Amino acid sequence: MDGCVFCAIAAGTIPADVVFQDGHVVAFRDLHPVAPFHVLVIPRIHRSSLADAVDADADLLGRLMLAAARVAREAGFEKTGYRTIVNTGADAGQTVLHLHVHVLAGRQLSWP
Ligand code: AMP
Ligand code: ZN
């Protein structure tokens, strides 16, 4: 989508530190990491948020989560753990309106 920064990253027109990509998803390091390991996993196609996902996106949503697990595993966090987060909408603090999964690891994360 025109003007969408994550669409531009997926298209390769804006640089990003890409750690994994395939035909469906791209995973890259967050510009402002909040943990030692902070990667975003996005679909190549534009969806503004999880609220925009439809039944036909079921495979894609699965691929996003599998890619999140993959980058965490390949970075060595399978045993120590990691957190996957999808912020949706204003109250969740979503700032980039292109669906993304945060993968955080490398420190003890508080909850809630
Ligand atoms: P959210 O608050 O869930 O919408 O998260 C958006 C995330 O995107 C934030 O953690 C930002 O630091 C990150 N971000 C924004 N622009 C870029 C960019 N060009 N490259 C990498 N990460 C970005
Ligand atoms: Zn987009």
Side-chain angles (χ1 to χ4, degrees):
M1 198 183 85
D2 275 0
C4 173
V5 64
F6 285 1
C7 279
I9 286 174
T13 55
I14 285 182
D17 187 356
V18 173
V19 297
F20 172 74
Q21 60 183 316
D22 63 16
H24 306 275
V25 306
V26 183
F28 53 94
R29 292 186 194 279
D30 196 293
L31 211 50
H32 304 290
V34 298
F37 183 81
H38 188 172
V39 160
L40 303 173
V41 188
I42 65 168
R44 284 193 180 277
I45 62 168
H46 184 86
R47 293 286 181 271
S48 295
S49 76
L50 189 60
D52 273 1
V54 295
D55 274 6
D57 295 325
D59 178 75
L60 184 60
L61 295 174
R63 289 179 183 277
L64 287 172
M65 296 309 283
L66 288 170
R70 178 183 180 137
V71 297
R73 183 175 62 248
E74 289 181 349
F77 294 112
E78 194 164 64
K79 282 208 171 85
T80 48
Y82 54 91
R83 183 167 294 162
T84 49
I85 302 166
V86 180
N87 293 323
T88 304
D91 277 4
Q94 185 181 3
T95 57
V96 177
L97 298 182
H98 180 124
L99 174 61
H100 51 280
V101 179
H102 294 259
V103 185
L104 303 176
R107 67 171 171 83
Q108 187 67 49
L109 298 160
S110 60
W111 182 264

